[in-house]
Amino acid sequence: MIAAIAVVAALLLQLTIVNRLSLPAGGVPDLVLLVVVGVALARGPAAGAMIGFGTGILVDLAPPTAHMLGQYAFVYTVVGYLAGRGVGGPVWTVVLCVLAAPLLAAAVAGLIADPRVASASLALSLPVTAVYSLLMAPVVVWLVAGDRARVIPA
């Protein structure tokens, strides 16, 4: 229940405030992704995949819906599962998920021939978004996962 509240709060905050910020280089952090990663770190791969799927459906339905339904459900499901599995510890897991999510979303968009996906715009926007998300990650993941982040030995 708390995970669902955190997801809805992050989505509302993302849509109403964060996406409207004028940050340098034009990117914004992805708070919703960070909440999914935090929940998955605290609860494991099955819960991470489930919260990722539910979050992805919400993101797919949230305005503006300029992409295909199910695209972000797939991306957040994969990221939630990977975050729940862990990769050498919570820090490396967060870094991997923040870097992998936009690349996976771009790959899915490319597979469905989304005309808005261009390599030039991706080369500019993905690194900026990743840096902003990594800067926000300690705060957001700690608020969601706290000390419950699972450390899975490699």
Side-chain angles (χ1 to χ4, degrees):
M1 181 67 174
I2 292 176
I5 293 171
V7 165
V8 171
L11 183 60
L12 289 174
L13 190 63
Q14 184 81 39
L15 292 174
T16 58
I17 296 172
V18 176
N19 285 349
R20 297 170 194 233
L21 293 175
S22 297
L23 297 175
V28 294
D30 191 349
L31 299 180
V32 178
L33 170 68
L34 295 175
V35 168
V36 169
V37 171
V39 169
L41 280 171
R43 298 191 180 179
M50 286 190 300
I51 200 75
F53 179 76
T55 301
I57 291 293
L58 286 176
V59 169
D60 285 333
L61 294 174
T65 55
H67 53 273
M68 188 169 282
L69 181 64
Q71 181 177 347
Y72 282 98
F74 174 74
V75 171
Y76 285 143
T77 301
V78 171
V79 169
Y81 177 78
L82 289 176
R85 294 284 304 155
V87 182
V91 173
W92 289 111
T93 301
V94 171
V95 170
L96 173 74
C97 290
V98 165
L99 295 176
L103 293 175
L104 183 59
V108 170
L111 285 174
I112 60 174
D114 189 348
R116 295 173 292 122
V117 177
S119 59
S121 65
L122 290 177
L124 295 175
S125 66
L126 289 183
V128 174
T129 300
V131 167
Y132 284 136
S133 295
L134 287 172
L135 289 174
M136 290 297 298
V139 174
V140 176
V141 172
W142 178 77
L143 285 173
V144 174
D147 293 332
R148 297 179 314 263
R150 298 165 23 121
V151 179
I152 300 171

